[in-house]
Every structure is written in structure tokens, then in C-alpha cells.
Amino acid sequence: MLAALEDGVKGGKWYSLIDKVWKDRSLYAAWEQVRKNQGAGGVDGQSVHGFETNVRREREYIRGQLESGRYEPLPVRRTYIPKPGSHEKRPLGIPAVRDRVVQTAMRNVLEPIFERTFAEHSYGFRPGRGCRDALRVVDAMLKDGYQWVVDADVKSYFDTIPHDRLMARLEERMADSRMLGLVKGYLTQGVRDGMKEWTPEAGTPQGAVIRPLLANIDLNPLDHHMAGKGWKMVRYADDFVVLCRTQEEAEAALSEIRAWVTEAGLMLHPEKTRI
């Protein structure tokens, strides 16, 4: 994918991306990933098995719609699952299988572009990285004397990301209007809960394959901002810690985080952010 992408880059921006999404090889690879992950069907009622039964026709339809610029995401089906340790239920979004295939192909194209820009201390939802890697780094720093820890959490982060700012982040590396339009289409795809349907004004779609990647793109400037200031931060999605040697350093780091988050139009979770 990187070799194919290099042909479309000029001045650090990629101008030809959407054609990498609709290629047969790309759609086939994306379908194999969706098939492996399984999961329930979306608002159209089509299951993974149902898609597989007509997989050739489905891939041809997706390719035709993407190539002609007519592809439109289906609404996300809202359902609810039990919340551990509570009588409440947690909302869950289930995209249509067709949209999961398209988003997986999109992620496979976008991820190599943005991976090269991500900070070393970002560990969530990245290839070859995971929570154990993040924990090993934190453990090593604690043993090295960084025993004052700022534990921070952005409140309702995935549901409150400003669309305009996220699109601006994407436009820093992409100039393919059709690819940008497809991302925007997923940010504003409807949510259907029974007979109700609405269009979100902020955040990334629940259950979306590209949701974690978009979050990493949006928070990448925070990573580099903190690294540039010399802070020892470890981030996993919207949860992160900053390790310091003294209480004074920890208080200063927390102030730095609060200022950045506020300027970004976000909010730290008051009950989950502490020293």
C-alpha cells in the first residue's frame, strides 16, 4: 500500500487516494477482515453471512458507487447492551456490513499515511502496539523515579470531537476531495434508534472501523505538543498519563493539558482526571 501511495504524494500531501479504496484487491482484503471479525447486521438487516453469499455482487456494487462518487453510508443501528456492574445499559452503534467493508478499505489506505506522523508514546489502536506495551513503558518510568503521575481522561471524547477540526487535521495530509467527502459522510451518517433517526453534529460514528484511527489523528497534535514541552506522556486512545518526578511538575503538566484540551473545545473528565 505504501508503494502505491507514494505515487500520489506531492509536497507532503496525498492527491490520489479514493482509487486505492475501490480497487478489487483492496475491497477483497477489507471484506476478509470484516468476515473474520463477524458481528451483527446493520439497519439493512444484512448479516455477514448474507453479504458473503453475494460477495462478488456486493463488491461490484461498492466499487461502482465509490468510483462514480455516489456512495452514501447507511445509518448506524443503535442498540443497547448491559453495563457491567450497573442496571443501566450502554448504547452501541452497529454499521451495515457494506459500510464496515468500505471503512476497513479506507483505514487500510489512511493508516500508513498517518502512522508515520504519530508520536512514539501513542499506543492505542496502532499496528504492532497495545496496552501491554504502554504498561511496560509506564512501569519502567516509575522504576526510574517518575513517581508522580497525572492520570487524564477526556470526557465523552469520541462523541464530542469537533468535525471541522478533525477534517482540518485530515486536510493537512490529504487533498483528495472524494476521500475527504467520504470521511465527512461517515462523520455525519445518521443514527437510527427504533423509529427515531438523527444526524450527529460532533464526534465519530459508534462502531465505525475508522473511529480509533480518526481519534489518533485528532489527538496527535496533543502528543507532539506535550513531547515538545519535555513531558513524559503515555497515551492509549483518550486515556493518558504524564509521569513526573515531583508534585510541582505534575501540577504544571496537568495545567498544560487542561489548557490544550480547553482550546481544542474538549473537556477533561472531572472524576477521572487526577494526580
Side-chain angles (χ1 to χ4, degrees):
M1 181 61 74
L2 274 175
L5 289 171
E6 290 298 344
D7 293 335
V9 64
K10 297 176 183 178
K13 282 193 176 185
W14 275 259
Y15 286 77
S16 180
L17 295 174
I18 193 68
D19 61 307
K20 312 300 187 298
V21 175
W22 74 52
K23 284 187 180 298
D24 289 336
R25 182 182 298 179
S26 178
L27 291 176
Y28 180 79
W31 156 244
E32 285 298 311
Q33 290 174 269
V34 172
R35 184 177 65 81
K36 181 179 179 180
N37 293 333
Q38 290 295 310
V43 296
D44 58 355
Q46 186 181 52
S47 65
V48 173
H49 176 70
F51 190 98
E52 185 172 21
T53 302
N54 301 292
V55 64
R56 184 184 295 273
R57 185 180 68 189
E58 289 288 351
R59 288 209 316 266
E60 289 176 354
Y61 172 81
I62 290 172
R63 175 175 181 141
Q65 293 293 297
L66 288 172
E67 199 166 358
S68 64
R70 296 197 304 268
Y71 189 90
E72 291 188 11
L74 290 168
V76 173
R77 179 168 70 87
R78 173 65 62 85
T79 188
Y80 296 86
I81 59 174
K83 197 173 183 179
S86 172
H87 295 294
E88 300 178 5
K89 290 191 174 183
R90 183 168 65 90
L92 187 69
I94 303 178
V97 176
R98 182 183 295 164
D99 283 321
R100 301 208 293 267
V101 172
V102 173
Q103 288 188 22
T104 301
M106 291 171 63
R107 183 193 62 194
N108 292 345
V109 172
L110 294 177
E111 196 170 63
I113 292 173
F114 288 94
E115 262 294 316
R116 59 179 65 186
T117 72
F118 289 160
E120 179 64 27
H121 58 256
S122 168
Y123 289 90
F125 306 104
R126 294 184 60 190
R129 290 174 169 238
C131 59
R132 291 185 179 181
D133 301 303
L135 289 172
R136 277 193 289 268
V137 172
V138 172
D139 182 61
M141 294 182 68
L142 288 171
K143 291 175 180 176
D144 196 33
Y146 291 85
Q147 297 189 356
W148 282 89
V149 181
V150 178
D151 187 5
D153 181 283
V154 181
K155 185 176 181 181
S156 302
Y157 173 68
F158 286 93
D159 296 325
T160 58
I161 302 174
H163 289 170
D164 289 347
R165 189 185 70 231
L166 178 54
M167 293 304 299
R169 302 262 199 261
L170 291 165
E171 288 169 7
E172 290 174 1
R173 295 283 171 180
M174 300 163 50
D176 186 327
S177 60
R178 284 191 290 176
M179 187 68 148
L180 290 165
L182 191 56
V183 174
K184 184 69 172 179
Y186 278 116
L187 291 178
T188 57
Q189 73 184 121
V191 179
R192 188 176 298 173
D193 187 349
M195 299 299 292
K196 299 178 182 178
E197 185 173 328
W198 67 92
T199 301
E201 297 181 356
T204 50
Q206 274 198 345
V209 176
I210 57 173
R211 195 181 210 205
L213 174 60
L214 293 178
N216 278 332
I217 292 170
D218 184 62
L219 287 176
N220 191 42
L222 170 62
D223 294 337
H224 289 288
H225 174 79
M226 294 299 288
K229 295 285 185 177
W231 299 112
K232 306 294 185 181
M233 187 168 88
V234 177
R235 183 174 67 80
Y236 194 95
D238 57 338
D239 296 314
F240 50 95
V241 295
V242 181
L243 295 102
C244 306
R245 291 191 181 275
T246 66
Q247 181 178 355
E248 290 74 18
E249 287 182 2
E251 290 172 349
L254 181 55
S255 295
E256 192 77 39
I257 293 169
R258 287 190 191 282
W260 192 96
V261 169
T262 300
E263 187 176 350
L266 300 168
M267 181 185 301
L268 291 176
H269 199 298
E271 297 176 3
K272 297 181 180 180
T273 299
R274 56 194 179 276
I275 297 175

